Amino acid sequence: ELRGRRPVVSVVGAGGKTTTLHRLADEYVRADIPVFVTTTTHIIKEDREWFLSGFPEEEITEQLQKAGQVWAGEPAPGGKLSTLQDAAIEKVLRWGIPLLIEADGAKRMPLKVPAEHEPVILPGTTHVLSVYGLDSVGKKIKDTVFRPELAEKLLDKKETECVTAEDIALLAASRAAGRKGCPEGASYTVVLNKADNETRKRTALA
Protein backbone atom coordinates (compact mmCIF):
# COMPACT_ATOMS: atom_id res chain seq x y z
CA GLU A 1 0.00 0.00 0.00
CA LEU A 2 1.13 3.57 -0.63
CA ARG A 3 -0.89 6.20 1.23
CA GLY A 4 -4.01 4.10 0.83
CA ARG A 5 -3.45 3.46 -2.89
CA ARG A 6 -2.40 0.26 -4.55
CA PRO A 7 1.04 0.53 -6.15
CA VAL A 8 1.67 1.13 -9.84
CA VAL A 9 5.15 -0.32 -10.41
CA SER A 10 7.12 0.47 -13.59
CA VAL A 11 10.13 -1.80 -14.15
CA VAL A 12 12.93 -0.29 -16.29
CA GLY A 13 16.53 -1.10 -17.21
CA ALA A 14 17.93 -4.45 -18.28
CA GLY A 15 19.15 -7.79 -17.03
CA GLY A 16 15.99 -9.42 -15.71
CA LYS A 17 12.94 -7.13 -15.83
CA THR A 18 10.51 -9.94 -16.68
CA THR A 19 11.97 -12.20 -13.97
CA THR A 20 11.56 -9.34 -11.49
CA LEU A 21 7.93 -8.90 -12.56
CA HIS A 22 7.29 -12.64 -12.15
CA ARG A 23 8.78 -12.57 -8.67
CA LEU A 24 6.70 -9.55 -7.64
CA ALA A 25 3.50 -11.00 -9.10
CA ASP A 26 4.10 -14.33 -7.32
CA GLU A 27 4.59 -12.50 -4.01
CA TYR A 28 1.21 -10.78 -4.45
CA VAL A 29 -0.43 -14.11 -5.32
CA ARG A 30 1.06 -15.69 -2.16
CA ALA A 31 -0.30 -12.74 -0.14
CA ASP A 32 -3.74 -13.39 -1.70
CA ILE A 33 -3.74 -10.00 -3.47
CA PRO A 34 -4.83 -10.13 -7.15
CA VAL A 35 -2.32 -8.43 -9.47
CA PHE A 36 -2.38 -7.21 -13.08
CA VAL A 37 0.79 -7.14 -15.22
CA THR A 38 1.17 -5.33 -18.55
CA THR A 39 3.71 -3.42 -20.64
CA THR A 40 4.20 -0.01 -22.21
CA THR A 41 6.70 -1.61 -24.63
CA HIS A 42 6.68 -5.38 -25.27
CA ILE A 43 6.69 -8.63 -23.32
CA ILE A 44 6.79 -12.24 -24.50
CA LYS A 45 3.40 -13.98 -24.34
CA GLU A 46 4.17 -17.05 -22.26
CA ASP A 47 2.26 -20.31 -22.56
CA ARG A 48 0.31 -19.92 -19.33
CA GLU A 49 -3.42 -19.51 -19.10
CA TRP A 50 -3.18 -16.17 -17.27
CA PHE A 51 -1.31 -14.58 -20.22
CA LEU A 52 -4.08 -12.96 -22.28
CA SER A 53 -4.18 -11.11 -25.61
CA GLY A 54 -6.15 -7.87 -25.65
CA PHE A 55 -8.45 -7.00 -22.77
CA PRO A 56 -11.11 -9.76 -22.46
CA GLU A 57 -12.75 -8.67 -19.20
CA GLU A 58 -14.59 -11.91 -18.42
CA GLU A 59 -11.40 -13.97 -18.85
CA ILE A 60 -9.44 -11.43 -16.82
CA THR A 61 -11.92 -11.65 -13.94
CA GLU A 62 -11.85 -15.46 -14.13
CA GLN A 63 -8.04 -15.66 -14.10
CA LEU A 64 -7.71 -13.11 -11.30
CA GLN A 65 -9.99 -15.33 -9.20
CA LYS A 66 -8.36 -18.58 -10.30
CA ALA A 67 -4.64 -17.74 -10.69
CA GLY A 68 -4.48 -14.49 -8.74
CA GLN A 69 -2.62 -12.78 -11.61
CA VAL A 70 -3.18 -11.69 -15.21
CA TRP A 71 -0.57 -10.64 -17.76
CA ALA A 72 -2.19 -8.84 -20.69
CA GLY A 73 -1.35 -6.71 -23.73
CA GLU A 74 -2.35 -6.18 -27.31
CA PRO A 75 -1.12 -8.97 -29.63
CA ALA A 76 2.13 -8.04 -31.38
CA PRO A 77 4.41 -9.78 -33.91
CA GLY A 78 6.88 -12.43 -32.76
CA GLY A 79 4.67 -13.92 -30.04
CA LYS A 80 4.76 -10.72 -28.02
CA LEU A 81 2.25 -8.54 -26.21
CA SER A 82 2.36 -4.74 -26.48
CA THR A 83 0.74 -1.69 -24.90
CA LEU A 84 -2.94 -1.89 -24.00
CA GLN A 85 -5.36 0.86 -24.99
CA ASP A 86 -5.49 3.80 -22.57
CA ALA A 87 -9.11 2.96 -21.69
CA ALA A 88 -8.09 -0.55 -20.57
CA ILE A 89 -5.29 0.81 -18.35
CA GLU A 90 -7.70 3.36 -16.85
CA LYS A 91 -10.11 0.54 -16.06
CA VAL A 92 -7.40 -1.52 -14.31
CA LEU A 93 -6.41 1.54 -12.25
CA ARG A 94 -10.04 1.91 -11.15
CA TRP A 95 -10.07 -1.71 -9.94
CA GLY A 96 -7.63 -0.66 -7.21
CA ILE A 97 -5.36 -3.71 -7.54
CA PRO A 98 -1.55 -3.59 -7.91
CA LEU A 99 -0.48 -2.82 -11.49
CA LEU A 100 2.98 -3.98 -12.59
CA ILE A 101 4.41 -2.68 -15.86
CA GLU A 102 7.39 -3.65 -18.00
CA ALA A 103 8.29 -0.14 -19.14
CA ASP A 104 11.55 -0.63 -21.04
CA GLY A 105 13.19 -2.91 -23.60
CA ALA A 106 16.80 -4.08 -23.74
CA LYS A 107 16.99 -6.92 -26.30
CA ARG A 108 17.94 -9.33 -23.47
CA MET A 109 21.17 -7.45 -22.66
CA PRO A 110 22.23 -7.11 -18.99
CA LEU A 111 22.66 -3.30 -19.07
CA LYS A 112 21.21 -0.42 -21.04
CA VAL A 113 21.33 3.33 -21.42
CA PRO A 114 17.94 4.68 -22.54
CA ALA A 115 17.43 6.54 -25.80
CA GLU A 116 15.53 9.83 -25.93
CA HIS A 117 12.12 8.09 -26.22
CA GLU A 118 12.80 5.63 -23.36
CA PRO A 119 11.67 4.43 -20.88
CA VAL A 120 7.87 4.57 -21.30
CA ILE A 121 6.72 5.21 -17.73
CA LEU A 122 3.00 5.48 -17.08
CA PRO A 123 1.96 8.74 -15.41
CA GLY A 124 0.68 7.83 -11.98
CA THR A 125 3.52 5.35 -11.40
CA THR A 126 4.14 5.10 -7.65
CA HIS A 127 7.29 2.93 -7.77
CA VAL A 128 10.11 2.65 -10.32
CA LEU A 129 12.36 -0.42 -10.17
CA SER A 130 15.61 0.03 -12.12
CA VAL A 131 17.13 -3.37 -12.97
CA TYR A 132 20.82 -4.17 -13.64
CA GLY A 133 22.34 -7.55 -14.52
CA LEU A 134 25.48 -8.15 -12.48
CA ASP A 135 26.72 -10.54 -15.18
CA SER A 136 27.70 -7.39 -17.13
CA VAL A 137 30.63 -6.60 -14.82
CA GLY A 138 34.00 -7.49 -16.32
CA LYS A 139 32.59 -7.64 -19.86
CA LYS A 140 33.20 -5.09 -22.60
CA ILE A 141 30.61 -2.33 -22.93
CA LYS A 142 30.02 -3.24 -26.59
CA ASP A 143 29.20 -6.85 -25.67
CA THR A 144 26.97 -6.25 -22.67
CA VAL A 145 25.21 -2.85 -22.91
CA PHE A 146 22.16 -2.11 -25.04
CA ARG A 147 22.91 1.22 -26.79
CA PRO A 148 26.70 1.10 -26.12
CA GLU A 149 27.25 4.40 -27.96
CA LEU A 150 25.16 6.18 -25.30
CA ALA A 151 27.04 4.33 -22.53
CA GLU A 152 30.35 5.58 -23.96
CA LYS A 153 29.21 9.20 -23.58
CA LEU A 154 27.60 8.80 -20.18
CA LEU A 155 30.41 6.76 -18.61
CA ASP A 156 33.19 8.58 -20.51
CA LYS A 157 34.65 5.23 -21.57
CA LYS A 158 35.32 3.43 -24.84
CA GLU A 159 33.05 0.56 -25.84
CA THR A 160 36.05 -1.79 -25.70
CA GLU A 161 36.51 -1.07 -21.97
CA CYS A 162 34.92 -3.31 -19.34
CA VAL A 163 31.92 -2.55 -17.13
CA THR A 164 32.71 -2.03 -13.42
CA ALA A 165 30.59 -1.87 -10.25
CA GLU A 166 31.22 1.90 -10.30
CA ASP A 167 29.71 2.12 -13.79
CA ILE A 168 26.50 0.44 -12.60
CA ALA A 169 26.35 2.84 -9.63
CA LEU A 170 26.76 5.81 -11.97
CA LEU A 171 24.02 4.54 -14.33
CA ALA A 172 21.68 3.79 -11.43
CA ALA A 173 22.10 7.29 -9.98
CA SER A 174 21.91 9.15 -13.30
CA ARG A 175 18.84 11.09 -14.43
CA ALA A 176 19.98 10.28 -17.97
CA ALA A 177 19.92 6.54 -17.26
CA GLY A 178 18.33 4.68 -14.34
CA ARG A 179 16.35 7.62 -12.96
CA LYS A 180 15.26 8.87 -16.40
CA GLY A 181 11.54 9.58 -16.45
CA CYS A 182 11.02 8.66 -12.79
CA PRO A 183 7.95 10.69 -11.75
CA GLU A 184 8.30 13.26 -8.99
CA GLY A 185 7.19 11.62 -5.75
CA ALA A 186 7.60 8.04 -6.99
CA SER A 187 9.73 5.64 -4.97
CA TYR A 188 12.94 4.72 -6.86
CA THR A 189 14.60 1.37 -6.16
CA VAL A 190 17.67 -0.21 -7.78
CA VAL A 191 17.50 -3.98 -8.37
CA LEU A 192 20.93 -5.64 -8.71
CA ASN A 193 19.92 -8.85 -10.42
CA LYS A 194 21.66 -12.20 -10.99
CA ALA A 195 23.63 -12.06 -7.72
CA ASP A 196 23.87 -15.84 -7.94
CA ASN A 197 27.49 -16.44 -6.92
CA GLU A 198 29.92 -14.99 -4.37
CA THR A 199 31.73 -12.78 -6.89
CA ARG A 200 28.49 -11.16 -8.02
CA LYS A 201 27.31 -10.72 -4.44
CA ARG A 202 30.55 -8.85 -3.70
CA THR A 203 29.97 -6.74 -6.82
CA ALA A 204 26.44 -5.93 -5.61
CA LEU A 205 27.77 -4.88 -2.20
CA ALA A 206 30.42 -2.71 -3.87
Side-chain angles (χ1 to χ4, degrees):
E1 293 276 356
L2 188 84
R3 296 185 294 279
R5 290 182 296 148
R6 287 293 188 203
V8 178
V9 181
S10 289
V11 180
V12 302
K17 293 187 304 295
T18 306
T19 307
T20 302
L21 284 164
H22 271 295
R23 178 67 181 268
L24 274 174
D26 289 345
E27 287 185 15
Y28 276 118
V29 171
R30 282 198 296 275
D32 208 23
I33 298 169
V35 60
F36 192 95
V37 188
T38 190
T39 180
T40 52
T41 54
H42 291 93
I43 47 174
I44 297 290
K45 185 174 191 285
E46 296 177 26
D47 189 20
R48 303 176 191 227
E49 55 187 5
W50 57 82
F51 273 76
L52 303 174
S53 294
F55 195 71
E57 284 193 59
E58 277 185 33
E59 277 185 75
I60 289 169
T61 304
E62 185 186 322
Q63 285 303 326
L64 284 175
Q65 287 170 351
K66 198 161 113 185
Q69 62 181 302
V70 164
W71 296 53
E74 292 299 327
K80 292 181 179 179
L81 298 171
S82 70
T83 315
L84 286 169
Q85 302 288 326
D86 288 350
I89 295 285
E90 287 299 324
K91 191 162 274 192
V92 176
L93 290 170
R94 284 199 298 274
W95 292 344
I97 65 174
L99 174 59
L100 311 181
I101 304 163
E102 182 152 328
D104 214 351
K107 299 271 196 297
R108 297 186 176 275
M109 299 288 263
L111 286 187
K112 83 168 283 185
V113 176
E116 198 173 317
H117 63 282
E118 296 170 316
V120 188
I121 296 178
L122 192 74
T125 289
T126 59
H127 296 70
V128 172
L129 301 187
S130 188
V131 182
Y132 299 84
L134 292 170
D135 52 335
S136 59
V137 173
K139 293 179 183 168
K140 290 177 182 174
I141 288 171
K142 68 184 179 75
D143 297 328
T144 200
V145 181
F146 185 49
R147 308 201 192 286
E149 69 287 353
L150 298 179
E152 282 187 309
K153 287 180 191 166
L154 197 56
L155 298 172
D156 194 23
K157 292 175 81 164
K158 293 189 172 65
E159 65 168 22
T160 48
E161 291 181 73
C162 290
V163 173
T164 64
E166 288 80 4
D167 293 334
I168 291 181
L170 196 152
L171 292 176
S174 173
R175 294 206 173 271
R179 287 181 176 272
K180 187 165 181 270
C182 183
E184 200 66 45
S187 167
Y188 177 74
T189 304
V190 174
V191 178
L192 300 173
N193 203 24
K194 307 183 193 176
D196 47 14
N197 62 39
E198 287 309 312
T199 303
R200 290 182 188 171
K201 283 177 188 169
R202 283 196 297 275
T203 299
L205 290 169

